[in-house]
Structures are given as structure tokens and as C-alpha cells.
Amino acid sequence: MHWADVLADELLKEDKKHVLATGITPSGPIHIGNMREILTTDAVYRSLIKKGGKGELIYVADDYDPLRKVYPYLPKSYEKYVGMPISDIPCPCEKHKSYADHYLISFLNSLKEIGVEPHIYRANKMYKNGDYNKAIQIAMDNTDKIKEIIQKISKRELPKGWIPFNIRCEKCKKMTTVKAVLYDYPTIEYKCDCGYEGKVDIRKGGVGKLPWRVDWPARWKMLGVTFEPFGKDLGTAGGARDTGKKIVEEIYGYPAPKYTVYEFIMLKGKGAMHSSKGTALSAGEMLDMTPPEVLRFLLMNNQPGKHLMFDSGLGLLNLVDEYDKQERVYFGKEEETKGMKDLKKTYELSQPYNIPKTIPYQLPYRHLVTLAQIDKKWDKVKKILLRTGQIPKDLSKQDEKHLKQRTEHVRYWLDNFAPDMVKFEVKKKPPKVDLTKEQKKFLLSLIEKLPSVDWEAERIHNIIYETSEKEKIPIKTAFKTIYQIILGQEKGPRAGFFLSNLNKDFVLKRVEEAVK
RNA sequence: GGGCCUGUAGCUCAGCUAGGUAGAGCAUCUGGCUUUUAACCAGGUGGCCAAGGGUUCGAAUCCCUUCAGGCCCGCCA
């Protein structure tokens, strides 16, 4: 059984509407771990619905969290914002409403592309609207109990005078510099490091925020969360999950949601992922280089508890090939191999939206890698494909959309992540190369035959071979010559296939120019 | 110290969430191809499933112990 079904079955033991939650703090570029969290939750949600259960997928953006420090990617001037909620800090690029939006908006757009459409909650709005007010009061009234739970379970010493509420200074707007002096419902008196002394009324929204370990359980109760996965760092003993479970049960009187712990995604190719060293890959980038169904496939095909290797180099091509293979098997075009697990379910969960009724038109991804370098725009790539008969004239709109999308992902990959060995550029002007006599002889001989050749991969390939044999020139030299005059480099994609995708007149002209 | 994950072919890993004949890709070998690219096609070799014990008619799969690796425990999933 697929892991998503196992988790869904677990939820279905209780016949009620389930709330499957996921969330992040958009305090920086949203990284690929969030992709795993949200897709894991989405998979369970889809399984649940398919089995006839009732459920809702929600996404909580904790944009009321204070900025912790000036991260390396931020200007130094942001020092003055440290401690303020990220929803109230200006956007670094000035195009978004706030710092939080800067990172959040693009991620939310990415979600659309991979077919995840959760109900979105914004913590800053929930706090400002007063949705949290009751939870805050309950927390304040149980300060000692909560403190004891956290100290006992997390084995952490909390300072004297600690309260489960971070007040926001009314003067300097910071949350991290305030000390509570006296709680007397409904007000808390406080002192801030900035020198301000004041009093907040917790019946009003937006005067402060519950600390993470309390915020989480309060949110479970408030939103009726019944399932929420989390990363292994939170799953550790004494972590937020442990204290959260106890707090939600004992303080808020609500059962802790079911969960699964997911492992991290490792990066291959650019070395191990060290977010501190800036080698982290953002969720957006990951999606920009990977077709959405393939990215989903990577996660659906592996249990959450498995750590994943994401290879942004050549491995990405293998991953796409693997996906395409599963697709062929799914539609009965190819035999299933023994290792394929939960193939049907995995394929279905990999689809961003509708599950195709018939197999989508498949074009080997590697060919697309070549084509996307001959012409960058889809319109032109399409022309090549039509001319060479690699796609039928009556290609469906849906198939075309799919191929176009893949071409765009290939382009992004080529521009940013592809290793040099697969890259080339068709030079608009003849590259400067000093050809040997032997090479010129080859080209002169080739040019006699080329005009009459059917412009088709195998025919071209044969002509090259015949010519090299006739002129007694090593085949390697022959290929090298072709790459040199067209690409200005010594190697390139499969020659016959490659040339057939180029315009015939262009090739003829180039050969002529080269032997002048 | 605590938590989680992993250990299956030379390499990367599936199969463990249904206990019932040990699988794939790459590498290697053989045959084919006048075919450069991580070539291609057909076939072959290759495993005491980390070790030990337990449950069972039957264990890679479930349970316990040990060993070895990885990661996480300062609000980065």
C-alpha cells in the first residue's frame, strides 16, 4: 500500500472532517524542505478524499514571526528591523507589500504549478483580527503549568518571569526586547529595552505573539488540525512536537494531531546542502528546473521517512526518464519491472491536476535538452519538431502545453544548473577555427552530397560516415569538424539527429563558408 | 547524551505499510550494429538481504540485541 493511503486510513478511523495542516515561516528563501512538507500533506489529503473522507488542506504562513537576525542575503540596513514581525518589515525588492510577502508570494505561485491549492492562513492577520485572543488568555492563565511542561520535557531552563506571550513594544515595534512586569487580566504591564514602559490589553489583537512552542498547539485547537507532518528536526525528543502535544492536551483540551516525520532532501552535484554557506536550493528554483509532475513523482515515490537525494545535474535527466517510464507502464505501453512499487497510486499522486485518460505524448527529455539549445523559444522548437516529424501535426492542445512547459523547465535547467558537457550554442556566425587540410577535404567532399540528402537524422548520419570513409578520414575527425564549424567546440549532441533539427540551408551555407 | 533514518549485486538503490521463487539502473562480460555523445539492441555473470537471537509452516520483510554509517536536537524541513 502507498504510504499516503496508510496515513489516510489512519485518519479515516475517525469519521469526521479532517484538517490537514502544513506551514512555514517565510523569513527567507523558501527551501525545498517545505516542498516535501506540503506535498506530503497534499498526498494524504488526496488519498483521504479519494477514499470518501472529508477533509481540508490548509497552509499557515507564520508571517507574524519576528525577524531573528540580519541574514547574509539581507542589506545591513535591516539591522533596525530585527525583532519586528516580518509582515511589518518592508520588502527587500520593494515590489511586495512586506518582507514576508517577498518570500511567500512566489512560493504560493509555485504551489499552483504543482497542483496544490490549500486554504491559506496568515498568522499576522489571525493575530491582528484577534483570532488568537482566547488562546492567549488561556496560555496566560496557565503560565506556570506551561512553563513547567516546557522545562520538564525540553529540559530547558526558562528565565524568571517568563510568560507564554511575547509582547510587542508599542513604541519600537519589536517583540524580542520586552519584559513583562505584571499580568492582571486583561492587561500586562511591560518594560522594553528601548526604554519604553507600557501596558497591553490582551483582548486586543496584534499586541504580541505566542512563542513557537505554544503557538503551534494553540493553532491546532483553533483550526481543528487533525494531521500535520513535520521535519525531523522538530521530531526530536523534547522538541516542539513533544511539548506541543502535552500543551494542547492539558492546557487546550484538544487531542494532538496525527503526523508523520519526514526526512530532509539532500543536494547532489553542488555539494551537501549548507544553508549557512548559501548552497541551499530554494523551492522555487527546484520547481523551475523540474517539470512539476516529475518533482511530485520524486516525493510520491519515496516514503517521507526516507532521505532523498536531489541531483540538479545529469541526475535530473534520469529522474525525468524514470518518470516517463512509469508513465508508459501505467498506460500499459511497457512491462512493469519488479521494483516498481505502488506504481498506479504513485503515478496518480504525481499529477498536479487531472489524471490523463490516455498517455501524454512523450518526447525523450534529452532530445528536448538539445532542441532547447538550438532554439530557445517553444514556437521555434515546435517548428523543428513538426518539420522532423518528431511530433504529429495533430498534436493535442494538452500535449502541446505539456511539451512547452517541459521546454521551459529544460531552459531554466540549462541556464542555471546543467553541467557544461551537455551545453552548446549554435553560432550565428561561423566560429573562427583553423581547419586542417584533412578537415577541409572532408567538408569539400561532404558538400557535394549534402544538397541531395533527405534532411533526416539517419540519412545525414550515413552521409557523414560514407564521406569520411571515402576520404579516408577518421570518423572522429569528421564529427569534430562538424561541431567546430557549427558550435565552435569539439563535441556535441548526436550529429545526425542534431543536424536534422537545424535548417538545411543554414548547414549548407555554414559548410561552404568554412571551406572558403 | 537524546531522537530519527539507513545498512540488499562492484556502485546507486527498489522490495519492508499485505510475511510466500531476491529485483532495477549503472558497471562488467558475450553477441549484434560502419553510429562520436552518460551511445544503441539482444543476452549473460554477479547477493549468507550488516551480525546474532526470537515469532512463524514460512522472515530481506515483524520483534529484541549488537555493530557500522548518516542526519537532527541554538526556531533552517
Side-chain angles (χ1 to χ4, degrees), chain A residues 1 5 12 33 51 83 109 154 159 170 207-208 238 254 284 290 293 312 330 354 370 414 435 453 483:
Chain A
M1 203 173 10
D5 283 328
L12 282 169
K51 285 168 184 283
N109 288 335
S154 76
E170 291 154 294
V207 299
Y254 180 82
T290 317
E293 70 278 11
S312 59
Y330 180 86
N354 298 331
T370 300
L414 285 165
L435 296 177
V453 164
Y483 296 131

Side-chain angles (χ1 to χ4, degrees), chain A residues 498-512:
Chain A
F498 174 53
L499 292 182
S500 75
N501 287 312
L502 293 173
N503 189 291
K504 187 176 179 179
D505 293 337
F506 169 82
V507 175
L508 288 175
K509 202 176 155 210
R510 177 59 53 87
V511 177
E512 277 168 14

